[in-house]
Amino acid sequence: MRQKIISILFAAAFLPVLFWGCSSQPEPTDVLLTKSFNCAVNGDWKLASNFAKRAVEQEPSNVNALILHSLALSYTDQLQSAIDESLKAVKIAPRSFMAQYLKGYLLYRNRNYDQCIEPLRIARSLRPSDMNSAILLAQASLKLRNVTAAAGYYKIIAKDRRFNSEPAPWVGLGMAFLKTKPALARSYFMLAEKRRPENPLVALNLAVVNDSNLRSPLNAVPYYNKFMRLTRNQSGFDALRAKVQKRLTEIAAR
Protein backbone atom coordinates (compact mmCIF):
# COMPACT_ATOMS: atom_id res chain seq x y z
CA MET A 1 0.00 0.00 0.00
CA ARG A 2 1.78 3.10 -1.16
CA GLN A 3 1.85 5.95 1.32
CA LYS A 4 0.71 9.21 -0.31
CA ILE A 5 3.13 12.12 -0.31
CA ILE A 6 2.14 13.91 2.83
CA SER A 7 2.54 17.37 1.33
CA ILE A 8 -0.54 16.76 -0.83
CA LEU A 9 -2.61 16.69 2.34
CA PHE A 10 -1.62 20.27 3.09
CA ALA A 11 -2.54 21.87 -0.23
CA ALA A 12 -5.79 23.34 1.02
CA ALA A 13 -4.07 24.96 3.98
CA PHE A 14 -2.03 27.41 1.93
CA LEU A 15 -3.19 30.46 0.07
CA PRO A 16 -2.74 30.90 -3.69
CA VAL A 17 0.30 32.83 -4.84
CA LEU A 18 -0.06 36.50 -3.99
CA PHE A 19 1.60 39.27 -5.97
CA TRP A 20 3.15 42.15 -4.13
CA GLY A 21 4.89 45.25 -5.36
CA CYS A 22 8.58 45.80 -4.81
CA SER A 23 9.27 46.77 -1.23
CA SER A 24 12.06 46.78 1.28
CA GLN A 25 9.68 45.26 3.81
CA PRO A 26 10.00 41.54 4.69
CA GLU A 27 7.87 39.25 2.57
CA PRO A 28 4.51 38.47 4.18
CA THR A 29 4.21 35.08 5.86
CA ASP A 30 1.54 33.93 3.38
CA VAL A 31 3.89 34.64 0.49
CA LEU A 32 6.72 32.73 2.17
CA LEU A 33 4.41 29.77 2.78
CA THR A 34 3.23 29.77 -0.82
CA LYS A 35 6.83 29.82 -2.04
CA SER A 36 7.76 27.05 0.39
CA PHE A 37 4.83 24.89 -0.71
CA ASN A 38 5.60 25.39 -4.40
CA CYS A 39 9.22 24.39 -3.80
CA ALA A 40 8.04 21.30 -1.92
CA VAL A 41 5.75 20.29 -4.77
CA ASN A 42 8.71 20.60 -7.15
CA GLY A 43 10.89 18.48 -4.87
CA ASP A 44 13.23 21.29 -3.74
CA TRP A 45 12.93 20.54 -0.05
CA LYS A 46 16.00 22.52 0.97
CA LEU A 47 14.60 25.76 -0.44
CA ALA A 48 11.16 24.85 0.89
CA SER A 49 12.72 24.54 4.34
CA ASN A 50 14.40 27.93 4.03
CA PHE A 51 11.15 29.71 3.12
CA ALA A 52 9.19 27.88 5.83
CA LYS A 53 11.85 28.69 8.42
CA ARG A 54 11.57 32.39 7.59
CA ALA A 55 7.80 32.12 7.95
CA VAL A 56 8.19 30.51 11.38
CA GLU A 57 10.65 33.19 12.46
CA GLN A 58 8.11 35.86 11.51
CA GLU A 59 5.15 34.07 13.08
CA PRO A 60 6.29 31.42 15.63
CA SER A 61 2.69 30.42 16.37
CA ASN A 62 1.66 29.94 12.73
CA VAL A 63 0.67 26.28 12.61
CA ASN A 64 0.85 26.02 8.82
CA ALA A 65 4.39 27.38 8.87
CA LEU A 66 5.43 24.92 11.56
CA ILE A 67 3.86 22.01 9.68
CA LEU A 68 5.51 22.86 6.39
CA HIS A 69 8.87 23.53 8.03
CA SER A 70 8.63 20.22 9.86
CA LEU A 71 7.85 18.35 6.67
CA ALA A 72 10.66 20.04 4.75
CA LEU A 73 13.14 19.24 7.51
CA SER A 74 12.11 15.59 7.37
CA TYR A 75 12.91 15.49 3.66
CA THR A 76 16.33 17.04 4.21
CA ASP A 77 17.44 14.32 6.64
CA GLN A 78 16.78 16.36 9.77
CA LEU A 79 14.21 14.02 11.27
CA GLN A 80 14.65 14.96 14.94
CA SER A 81 14.36 18.68 14.15
CA ALA A 82 11.27 17.86 12.09
CA ILE A 83 9.73 16.05 15.06
CA ASP A 84 10.49 19.02 17.31
CA GLU A 85 8.66 21.37 14.93
CA SER A 86 5.69 19.01 14.73
CA LEU A 87 5.47 18.95 18.53
CA LYS A 88 5.23 22.76 18.53
CA ALA A 89 2.42 22.60 15.96
CA VAL A 90 0.46 20.05 18.02
CA LYS A 91 0.90 22.09 21.19
CA ILE A 92 -0.56 25.16 19.47
CA ALA A 93 -3.32 23.32 17.59
CA PRO A 94 -4.11 19.96 19.25
CA ARG A 95 -7.29 19.64 17.17
CA SER A 96 -5.46 20.00 13.87
CA PHE A 97 -5.59 16.80 11.84
CA MET A 98 -2.51 17.77 9.85
CA ALA A 99 -0.45 18.57 12.95
CA GLN A 100 -1.37 15.33 14.72
CA TYR A 101 -0.91 13.20 11.61
CA LEU A 102 2.48 14.74 10.84
CA LYS A 103 3.65 14.14 14.40
CA GLY A 104 2.59 10.49 14.20
CA TYR A 105 4.04 10.07 10.73
CA LEU A 106 7.43 11.46 11.75
CA LEU A 107 7.57 9.43 14.96
CA TYR A 108 6.79 6.33 12.90
CA ARG A 109 9.58 7.20 10.46
CA ASN A 110 11.89 7.57 13.46
CA ARG A 111 10.85 4.09 14.63
CA ASN A 112 9.21 5.45 17.76
CA TYR A 113 6.33 3.07 17.21
CA ASP A 114 4.95 3.27 20.74
CA GLN A 115 4.97 7.08 20.69
CA CYS A 116 3.35 7.45 17.27
CA ILE A 117 0.15 5.64 18.25
CA GLU A 118 -1.49 8.45 20.25
CA PRO A 119 -1.16 11.27 17.67
CA LEU A 120 -2.27 8.92 14.90
CA ARG A 121 -5.33 7.90 16.92
CA ILE A 122 -6.17 11.56 17.46
CA ALA A 123 -5.69 12.25 13.75
CA ARG A 124 -7.99 9.37 12.89
CA SER A 125 -10.65 10.63 15.30
CA LEU A 126 -10.45 14.06 13.67
CA ARG A 127 -10.73 12.68 10.14
CA PRO A 128 -12.10 9.09 10.17
CA SER A 129 -12.36 8.95 6.38
CA ASP A 130 -8.60 9.41 5.93
CA MET A 131 -6.97 6.02 5.52
CA ASN A 132 -3.37 7.24 5.85
CA SER A 133 -3.64 7.39 9.63
CA ALA A 134 -5.26 3.93 9.69
CA ILE A 135 -2.45 2.54 7.54
CA LEU A 136 0.24 3.87 9.87
CA LEU A 137 -1.68 2.68 12.93
CA ALA A 138 -1.89 -0.81 11.42
CA GLN A 139 1.81 -0.86 10.57
CA ALA A 140 2.89 0.53 13.94
CA SER A 141 0.67 -1.95 15.81
CA LEU A 142 2.24 -4.75 13.80
CA LYS A 143 5.71 -3.51 14.74
CA LEU A 144 4.63 -3.50 18.40
CA ARG A 145 3.23 -7.04 18.00
CA ASN A 146 -0.22 -5.88 18.97
CA VAL A 147 -2.03 -8.39 16.77
CA THR A 148 -5.54 -7.38 17.83
CA ALA A 149 -5.00 -3.69 17.08
CA ALA A 150 -3.15 -4.36 13.81
CA ALA A 151 -5.84 -6.74 12.57
CA GLY A 152 -8.56 -4.26 13.50
CA TYR A 153 -7.00 -1.46 11.48
CA TYR A 154 -6.24 -3.69 8.50
CA LYS A 155 -9.88 -4.81 8.47
CA ILE A 156 -10.99 -1.18 8.42
CA ILE A 157 -8.67 -0.53 5.48
CA ALA A 158 -9.81 -3.65 3.64
CA LYS A 159 -13.45 -2.55 3.89
CA ASP A 160 -12.73 0.83 2.36
CA ARG A 161 -13.76 0.80 -1.29
CA ARG A 162 -10.47 2.45 -2.27
CA PHE A 163 -8.50 -0.51 -0.93
CA ASN A 164 -10.85 -3.48 -1.12
CA SER A 165 -9.39 -4.63 -4.43
CA GLU A 166 -5.80 -4.11 -3.27
CA PRO A 167 -3.73 -6.98 -1.83
CA ALA A 168 -1.95 -4.91 0.84
CA PRO A 169 -4.57 -4.96 3.65
CA TRP A 170 -5.01 -8.71 3.23
CA VAL A 171 -1.25 -9.21 3.33
CA GLY A 172 -1.22 -7.08 6.48
CA LEU A 173 -3.86 -9.29 8.05
CA GLY A 174 -1.83 -12.33 7.08
CA MET A 175 1.28 -10.88 8.68
CA ALA A 176 -0.66 -10.06 11.86
CA PHE A 177 -1.63 -13.72 12.36
CA LEU A 178 1.43 -15.35 10.84
CA LYS A 179 2.92 -16.66 14.10
CA THR A 180 -0.20 -17.16 16.20
CA LYS A 181 -2.70 -18.48 13.63
CA PRO A 182 -0.81 -19.52 10.50
CA ALA A 183 -3.82 -21.23 8.89
CA LEU A 184 -5.78 -17.98 9.21
CA ALA A 185 -2.77 -16.06 7.89
CA ARG A 186 -2.70 -18.33 4.84
CA SER A 187 -6.38 -17.65 4.16
CA TYR A 188 -5.70 -13.90 4.18
CA PHE A 189 -2.71 -14.32 1.86
CA MET A 190 -4.98 -16.28 -0.47
CA LEU A 191 -7.43 -13.37 -0.49
CA ALA A 192 -4.51 -11.12 -1.43
CA GLU A 193 -3.59 -13.52 -4.24
CA LYS A 194 -7.17 -13.43 -5.51
CA ARG A 195 -6.87 -9.67 -5.90
CA ARG A 196 -3.40 -9.68 -7.48
CA PRO A 197 -2.66 -13.17 -8.88
CA GLU A 198 0.55 -12.00 -10.54
CA ASN A 199 2.09 -10.29 -7.50
CA PRO A 200 5.37 -12.12 -6.75
CA LEU A 201 5.54 -11.08 -3.10
CA VAL A 202 2.07 -12.43 -2.43
CA ALA A 203 3.19 -15.74 -3.95
CA LEU A 204 6.26 -15.69 -1.72
CA ASN A 205 4.14 -15.02 1.36
CA LEU A 206 2.04 -18.07 0.54
CA ALA A 207 5.16 -20.15 0.04
CA VAL A 208 6.67 -19.11 3.35
CA VAL A 209 3.52 -19.58 5.42
CA ASN A 210 3.09 -23.10 4.03
CA ASP A 211 6.76 -23.95 4.38
CA SER A 212 7.88 -22.36 7.65
CA ASN A 213 4.69 -21.85 9.63
CA LEU A 214 2.47 -24.75 8.58
CA ARG A 215 5.39 -27.16 8.08
CA SER A 216 4.09 -28.18 4.67
CA PRO A 217 6.98 -27.69 2.23
CA LEU A 218 5.33 -29.64 -0.58
CA ASN A 219 2.40 -27.20 -0.53
CA ALA A 220 4.92 -24.37 -0.64
CA VAL A 221 6.66 -25.58 -3.81
CA PRO A 222 4.01 -24.34 -6.30
CA TYR A 223 4.17 -20.87 -4.77
CA TYR A 224 7.97 -20.84 -4.73
CA ASN A 225 7.88 -21.80 -8.41
CA LYS A 226 5.31 -19.12 -9.12
CA PHE A 227 7.54 -16.54 -7.44
CA MET A 228 10.48 -17.67 -9.59
CA ARG A 229 8.37 -17.41 -12.74
CA LEU A 230 7.02 -13.96 -11.92
CA THR A 231 10.44 -12.53 -11.09
CA ARG A 232 12.31 -13.97 -14.04
CA ASN A 233 14.66 -11.35 -15.56
CA GLN A 234 13.98 -8.91 -12.69
CA SER A 235 17.36 -8.15 -11.16
CA GLY A 236 15.81 -6.50 -8.12
CA PHE A 237 14.71 -9.92 -6.93
CA ASP A 238 18.06 -11.66 -7.44
CA ALA A 239 18.83 -12.02 -3.72
CA LEU A 240 15.40 -13.45 -2.94
CA ARG A 241 15.52 -15.71 -5.99
CA ALA A 242 18.80 -17.21 -4.78
CA LYS A 243 17.28 -18.03 -1.40
CA VAL A 244 14.16 -19.49 -2.98
CA GLN A 245 16.19 -21.61 -5.40
CA LYS A 246 18.25 -22.93 -2.48
CA ARG A 247 15.09 -23.83 -0.59
CA LEU A 248 13.56 -25.55 -3.64
CA THR A 249 16.73 -27.63 -3.97
CA GLU A 250 16.53 -28.62 -0.29
CA ILE A 251 12.91 -29.69 -0.62
CA ALA A 252 13.60 -31.70 -3.78
CA ALA A 253 16.43 -33.53 -2.00
CA ARG A 254 14.19 -34.89 0.72
Side-chain angles (χ1 to χ4, degrees), residues 1-201:
M1 191 180 307
R2 186 171 59 187
Q3 184 71 28
K4 293 181 180 178
I5 299 174
I6 191 174
S7 62
I8 294 173
L9 300 176
F10 304 150
F14 299 99
L15 298 176
V17 175
L18 303 176
F19 295 94
W20 296 77
C22 295
S23 171
S24 60
Q25 297 297 317
E27 291 182 284
T29 300
D30 289 340
V31 172
L32 291 171
L33 288 178
T34 300
K35 288 183 176 181
S36 177
F37 181 76
N38 288 337
C39 289
V41 169
N42 291 322
D44 190 344
W45 289 103
K46 184 176 181 180
L47 192 55
S49 178
N50 290 338
F51 282 124
K53 181 180 179 181
R54 287 168 57 190
V56 171
E57 289 171 347
Q58 288 185 184
E59 293 186 27
S61 62
N62 188 308
V63 175
N64 288 337
L66 287 166
I67 288 173
L68 193 46
H69 189 216
S70 173
L71 182 65
L73 286 169
S74 76
Y75 276 93
T76 54
D77 298 322
Q78 301 178 72
L79 190 51
Q80 188 55 57
S81 295
I83 291 171
D84 293 341
E85 291 293 271
S86 73
L87 294 177
K88 295 176 187 176
V90 166
K91 186 175 182 179
I92 294 168
R95 300 296 295 172
S96 165
F97 165 80
M98 290 183 289
Q100 293 285 3
Y101 177 79
L102 180 59
K103 177 184 174 183
Y105 166 78
L106 294 175
L107 288 169
Y108 179 88
R109 276 189 56 187
N110 204 41
R111 300 183 181 181
N112 300 125
Y113 303 122
D114 55 337
Q115 296 176 39
C116 79
I117 295 292
E118 181 182 3
L120 289 172
R121 281 178 177 167
I122 295 172
R124 176 156 174 74
S125 72
L126 292 169
R127 195 178 293 180
S129 63
D130 183 85
M131 286 294 107
N132 290 303
S133 52
I135 291 167
L136 285 181
L137 281 164
Q139 293 173 343
S141 298
L142 202 57
K143 296 285 187 182
L144 294 169
R145 299 182 181 179
N146 187 337
V147 172
T148 301
Y153 289 120
Y154 278 122
K155 286 177 180 178
I156 290 171
I157 298 164
K159 289 179 182 179
D160 189 281
R161 60 181 178 79
R162 292 166 291 183
F163 296 97
N164 184 261
S165 62
E166 295 294 324
W170 307 101
V171 170
L173 281 163
M175 295 303 296
F177 292 105
L178 188 60
K179 293 185 178 181
T180 57
K181 298 180 179 180
L184 180 59
R186 178 175 60 184
S187 69
Y188 283 127
F189 289 145
M190 291 178 72
L191 286 172
E193 184 189 33
K194 183 178 180 180
R195 284 157 176 79
R196 287 291 187 277
E198 300 302 298
N199 186 308
L201 294 180

Side-chain angles (χ1 to χ4, degrees), residues 161-249:
R161 60 181 178 79
R162 292 166 291 183
F163 296 97
N164 184 261
S165 62
E166 295 294 324
W170 307 101
V171 170
L173 281 163
M175 295 303 296
F177 292 105
L178 188 60
K179 293 185 178 181
T180 57
K181 298 180 179 180
L184 180 59
R186 178 175 60 184
S187 69
Y188 283 127
F189 289 145
M190 291 178 72
L191 286 172
E193 184 189 33
K194 183 178 180 180
R195 284 157 176 79
R196 287 291 187 277
E198 300 302 298
N199 186 308
L201 294 180
V202 171
L204 186 59
N205 283 329
L206 279 163
V208 171
V209 71
N210 277 293
D211 191 2
S212 301
N213 300 92
L214 293 171
R215 303 288 189 250
S216 182
L218 293 180
N219 287 333
V221 169
Y223 293 111
Y224 280 135
N225 286 331
K226 183 177 181 180
F227 170 81
M228 296 296 282
R229 174 177 61 80
L230 292 174
T231 58
R232 188 180 297 121
N233 300 323
Q234 296 187 41
S235 59
F237 287 99
D238 284 350
L240 278 175
R241 286 176 59 84
K243 292 180 180 179
V244 169
Q245 185 57 62
K246 180 181 178 182
R247 182 56 183 152
L248 282 170
T249 302

